[in-house]
Amino acid sequence: MTLVSHAPISIGGIPLEWRLSVSVHELAAEIVARLVEELPVYATLPAEQLHGDVTGVVVRGIRGFAQVLRTGKLPDAAQLELMHRSAARRAEERVPLDAVVGAYFLGAHECLDRMMADARPEDLADVLAAQRLLLRYLQVVAGSVFAGYIQESRAVLGEEQSARQTLLSALLDGAPAQQAAERAGMRLPACYWVVSIAAAQHPDERTPGVDAAIAARRKVRRIRAELERQVPDTVLTALSPDGGVALVPVAVGTEELTAADWNRLAGLVRHVARASGAELTAAAVAAGPEEVAEAARLAAQVRQVAHDCGRGPGLYRLDDVLMEYQLALPSPARDHLAALLGPLAGRTDLLETLRTYLATGLDRRRTAERLHIHPNTVDYRLRRTTALTGLSATHGPDLPRIQAALAAYGSRPAGHPGGPGEGRGTAIMGA
């Protein structure tokens, strides 16, 4: 598209395109020097790349603008394609987008200084015409640069995510993971915290008029983003709106972990819960890369036992639920304990109220808030539970038996006599 007539734009009687063309290599060297000085990422590039590819891009940019000044026409599709490809290479090299775009504006500023060095008041019309051309030139060039960079970034990100998911799958399947780690550009750590996560609903997921699916996806994104922000190394995750699994890398082996390491992990879970806006119940097991598969199964079991027996949100380990975990293992005692809650079969409202009442420290108002019901409804459900089972959550001596029965009840297989078997299972996805 032609923007101005072919009449030359001059300063001091000298055409601007000539000022650029005769000094293109000198000007390019000055621009590259300023890139290194003002945009730190360029200082980290190899000298061969700076004096080769990067300088070549700068030279093409100067000549391209000189042509715009000479003809009044913006770059054509072929010229823009070169800039598109150059931006894609920068994306592949992980040069930040702000530095790539900033380089074009820095170069434009340097060209403007060179062209206007001898400008006088009588040159005002030409100065304004040149500036308008430069702004339009930058507009179309920036669009091509953004498009090339983003397109390549998405491709690279897709490849990275695919490689990381392959590594995660290998670890969770108990398969050799070294090659998968190398393909993902990662080194296997000394061990992982294998964290099984159950995520409660975000308030937006329950708000009338709000798209619950969008709110759920936002919650998942926040969980991932906070893990990435809080952990310096790559955390491998498989998450759904209900929860999932996260492998948090640790620099030392399992035998070197201390209480301080556990406390840091517990703090991480709290940070993630606050950032996501949803309560998280999680369990963690430390394991070397070759032990991740078994650790994931155990973490999921521990997390589910903690939920089943009425523990509140937070991070748990096997030591926190040793008795309940043992009671959840198949045995005649487990069957008898589960049978205590058999009369509640099909009454998920009563079971969840009972668990939540225990998880809130026997606080009926907090239970009501968490379940979004009236406190009187909590009282009614607890009375109904007592009438059906003979066990009272408000009667201290019954509490240990209720907690044990909940742990056993949640572990029962579906359809087993004496309990509905809500299906504790060993799945690592979901709650």
Side-chain angles (χ1 to χ4, degrees):
M1 180 177 64
T2 301
L3 297 178
V4 297
S5 67
H6 282 43
I9 301 176
S10 303
I11 298 294
I14 301 175
L16 292 184
E17 60 92 7
W18 185 85
R19 287 175 178 263
L20 293 181
S21 299
V22 297
S23 60
V24 61
H25 293 289
E26 175 190 351
L27 183 55
E30 292 175 2
I31 291 173
V32 171
R34 283 195 62 186
L35 292 180
V36 171
E37 180 181 349
E38 300 183 25
L39 299 175
V41 67
Y42 284 92
T44 67
L45 298 179
E48 178 183 2
Q49 184 177 4
L50 279 174
H51 300 307
D53 188 23
V54 173
T55 297
V57 173
V58 174
V59 168
R60 284 199 300 272
I62 296 171
R63 286 176 171 163
F65 184 57
Q67 182 177 340
V68 173
L69 289 169
R70 183 172 62 254
T71 65
K73 295 180 180 179
L74 292 173
D76 59 23
Q79 292 170 312
L80 292 175
E81 177 62 21
L82 291 174
M83 298 174 186
H84 186 283
R85 293 178 184 174
S86 173
R89 288 196 296 273
R90 299 294 85 79
E92 187 179 12
E93 295 160 357
R94 305 298 196 275
V95 177
L97 178 58
D98 60 335
V100 175
V101 176
Y104 279 89
F105 281 85
L106 188 151
H109 189 279
E110 194 73 18
C111 288
L112 196 61
D113 285 348
R114 176 65 63 95
M115 292 186 300
M116 304 303 170
D118 301 325
R120 297 177 180 179
E122 57 266 27
D123 297 317
L124 178 60
D126 288 292
V127 169
L128 294 177
Q131 289 178 336
R132 284 195 295 270
L133 273 180
L134 182 58
L135 288 174
R136 291 300 307 275
Y137 175 78
L138 286 173
Q139 180 182 1
V140 296
V141 167
S144 183
V145 169
F146 271 109
Y149 190 98
I150 292 172
Q151 180 179 331
E152 182 62 23
S153 292
R154 287 175 175 170
V156 171
L157 181 60
E159 292 174 0
E160 287 183 349
Q161 289 177 336
S162 177
R164 289 177 181 178
Q165 288 305 116
T166 298
L167 172 58
L168 177 61
S169 296
L171 290 166
L172 292 176
D173 290 342
Q178 184 59 45
Q179 288 187 351
E182 292 173 357
R183 285 194 293 271
M186 299 169 57
R187 297 177 62 181
L188 292 175
C191 77
Y192 287 102
W193 283 117
V194 183
V195 187
S196 177
I197 302 170
Q201 286 188 323
H202 187 280
D204 287 346
E205 294 179 68
R206 301 185 299 268
T207 302
V210 174
D211 190 315
I214 293 177
R217 288 195 293 270
R218 283 169 54 85
K219 176 182 68 180
V220 173
R221 285 198 301 271
R222 288 169 178 163
I223 292 174
R224 287 201 182 98
E226 190 65 12
L227 286 171
E228 291 174 1
R229 192 177 75 85
Q230 294 285 341
V231 181
D233 296 320
T234 302
V235 179
L236 300 174
T237 60
L239 298 172
S240 73
D242 293 328
V245 64
L247 303 187
V248 180
V250 185
V252 299
T254 56
E255 68 284 351
E256 300 177 64
L257 292 172
T258 66
D261 295 302
W262 175 261
N263 291 336
R264 279 192 291 271
L265 183 65
L268 173 64
V269 172
R270 289 193 295 272
H271 278 299
V272 172
R274 282 196 295 270
S276 69
E279 293 181 340
L280 301 181
T281 302
V285 177
E290 69 284 355
E291 301 166 332
V292 164
E294 183 57 35
R297 286 188 284 271
L298 177 58
Q301 291 168 348
V302 170
R303 190 258 305 154
Q304 189 66 53
V305 167
H307 170 267
D308 288 342
C309 64
R311 300 294 184 100
L315 180 66
Y316 298 92
R317 53 190 159 187
L318 180 59
D319 286 353
D320 297 322
V321 292
L322 279 176
M323 182 180 71
E324 295 91 338
Y325 184 86
Q326 187 64 31
L327 290 172
L329 297 177
S331 72
R334 183 195 70 172
D335 295 343
H336 283 281
L337 280 169
L340 295 176
L341 300 181
L344 303 184
R347 294 301 304 270
T348 56
D349 56 336
L350 300 184
L351 283 166
E352 197 56 31
T353 300
L354 185 58
R355 289 193 182 104
T356 306
Y357 185 65
L358 295 178
T360 58
L362 312 184
D363 188 321
R364 59 189 287 276
R365 291 193 178 277
R366 287 177 58 200
T367 300
E369 291 173 1
R370 189 171 292 180
L371 295 177
H372 309 285
I373 57 177
H374 194 278
N376 290 344
T377 304
V378 174
D379 294 337
Y380 166 77
R381 290 181 181 180
L382 292 176
R383 289 196 301 269
R384 187 62 183 153
T385 297
T386 300
L388 290 172
T389 66
L391 298 172
S392 173
T394 61
H395 182 57
D398 284 350
L399 289 177
R401 178 169 287 194
I402 290 174
Q403 287 181 311
L406 283 169
Y409 188 86
S411 69
R412 298 299 301 282
H416 192 286
E422 293 175 297
R424 178 171 64 87
T426 59
I428 59 173
M429 291 297 295

